[in-house]
Amino acid sequence: MAVKNLDEREFFFGHKACAGCGGSLAVRIALKVLGERTVAVLPAGCMSAVGFNFPQLCFANNAFITPFAATASVMTGLEAGLRRRGEKDFIVAGFAGDGGTADIGLQALSGAMDRGDNILYICYDNEAYMNTGIQKSGLTPPGAKTSTTPHRGSRRPKKDMPAIVAANGVSYAASASVGYLDDYIKKLEKAKSVVGVKYIHVLAPCPTGWGLGSDETVEIAKEAVDVGVWELKEYENGRWTVNRKPTRPQDLERHIDRQGRFRIQSQYQEDSRNGQR
Amino acid sequence: MRLRPWPDKTPEWTAFEAGYLVTSNGDWRSVRPVIDKERCVECGLCYLHCPDGTISRDLLVDYDFCKGCGICAKICKREAISMRREADYA
Ligand SMILES: Cc1ncc(C[n+]2csc(CCOP(=O)(O)OP(=O)(O)O)c2C)c(N)n1
Ligand code: SF4
Ligand code: SF4
Ligand code: SF4
Ligand SMILES: [Mg+2]
């Protein structure tokens, strides 16, 4: 069990995330694994909004806010600057949302991947632009209701970010979930030891945007893997390995129905079954 | 648990000491987790899964910062954590 070897100290503490926020759990655990010589880099998004409220500073390690589009570029600059100063044994780790990663920050990440910079980029995926009021992002799944999707929810597929990153030939890529912290911790440890661009995409449910109780986020993140809507996998040496097979695909419908953001969708399906649409 | 004590001075500029906390979150709570030591087997799952890091490794809850989300109570396989009405502690 991962609990024993984990650093007892908290590096992301006192933040103003909503109660039960999956993203804050993803950041907290990552910093416990990566340690105090981590420079955290955060673009605009919930994790920077809840972590930096002057003069409250919730990161106990070094941490920076970047312009929304610039996460990976700022990481590149910090890594080069620290190296130039003769610093050793540090990690530059980015924590960007799904919008910050798959949409506006994709070009900066593309540049860093092209250069093969030595950075660890973590996308905490809450499947919408949460900090500004739940707008649809490129990672919002089909059927999910946001404040900018039509009444029946998003009609676009979720961009396959892990595949996009792997296609750029990064050193290491993985998908993870806050519902499987053991697996997430293993991937962070692996990423820590690899040189080059490392990318971890962690599913991090948002009770506020998904229409969940504050106590349900970890459970939902685990269930997403179990029913097969989110895959835990790893990309190394040019090849993907699936770490976990869905164990209860039969519960898919229940998994969808319990999330408020899909409720219009399930109502719609029910109505069309009854011939009302 | 927080790494630094409550500060006694205000920073002069936006780049300053990491982990500088001046406000707490405990008053967000409507329910609070209470750990029953009799039932607890010290597995540490509640400590691991708390988004706020407000259960320490030795299982003390930091009520200054716990928001009462209930994740710890739900993850506990021994049902050792109960969520109690905050009003009863006022
Ligand atoms: C250039 C620019 N455009 C828009 C914004 C406004 N903005 C701040 S945070 C945010 C949403 C971020 O969404 P995501 O990256 O998914 O992170 P989340 O808030 O969901 O954690 C937006 C649109 C901005 N800060 N900068
Ligand atoms: S809106 Fe969602 S992602 Fe943002 S702090 Fe609240 S729970 Fe976390
Ligand atoms: S999860 Fe339950 S049994 Fe495990 S340490 Fe916490 S209270 Fe004890
Ligand atoms: S109720 Fe939530 S914030 Fe409080 S200790 Fe439990 S998991 Fe942490
Ligand atoms: Mg988001």
Side-chain angles (χ1 to χ4, degrees), chain A residues 16-17 44 48 71 86 100 111 149 152 160 173 217 237:
Chain A
K16 303 293 177 185
S48 57
T71 317
T149 34
R152 287 164 196 168
D160 191 348
T217 41
N237 308 317

Side-chain angles (χ1 to χ4, degrees), chain A residues 44-46 68 97-100 104 124 126 128-132:
Chain A
C46 274
F68 198 13
D98 45 288
I104 191 168
Y124 66 93
N126 52 28
Y129 289 85
M130 294 308 176
N131 187 47
T132 39

Side-chain angles (χ1 to χ4, degrees), chain A residues 54-57, chain B residues 7-17 20 22:
Chain A
F54 187 83
Q56 178 111 332
L57 248 198
Chain B
D8 53 13
K9 59 179 196 314
T10 311
E12 284 157 12
W13 189 234
T14 54
F16 56 98
E17 189 187 1
Y20 184 100
V22 289

Side-chain angles (χ1 to χ4, degrees), chain B residues 34-37 39-49 55-57 59 71-81:
Chain B
V34 176
I35 303 179
D36 178 352
K37 290 276 149 91
R39 300 183 78 111
C40 170
V41 292
E42 299 179 7
C43 68
L45 282 182
C46 53
Y47 151 75
L48 189 66
H49 288 85
I55 301 182
S56 66
R57 184 65 191 89
L59 306 176
I71 286 177
C72 52
K74 202 155 222 179
I75 203 83
C76 178
K77 293 191 174 74
R78 304 278 305 179
E79 296 183 7
I81 303 182

Side-chain angles (χ1 to χ4, degrees), chain B residues 29 33 46 49-55 61 65-73 83:
Chain B
R29 232 177 14 245
C46 53
H49 288 85
C50 171
D52 290 83
T54 47
I55 301 182
V61 179
F65 287 96
C66 160
K67 294 168 187 160
C69 69
I71 286 177
C72 52
M83 299 304 293

Side-chain angles (χ1 to χ4, degrees), chain A residues 84-96:
Chain A
R84 179 71 178 81
R85 259 177 40 168
E87 299 286 346
K88 294 210 163 57
D89 303 321
F90 64 88
I91 300 170
V92 176
F95 297 95

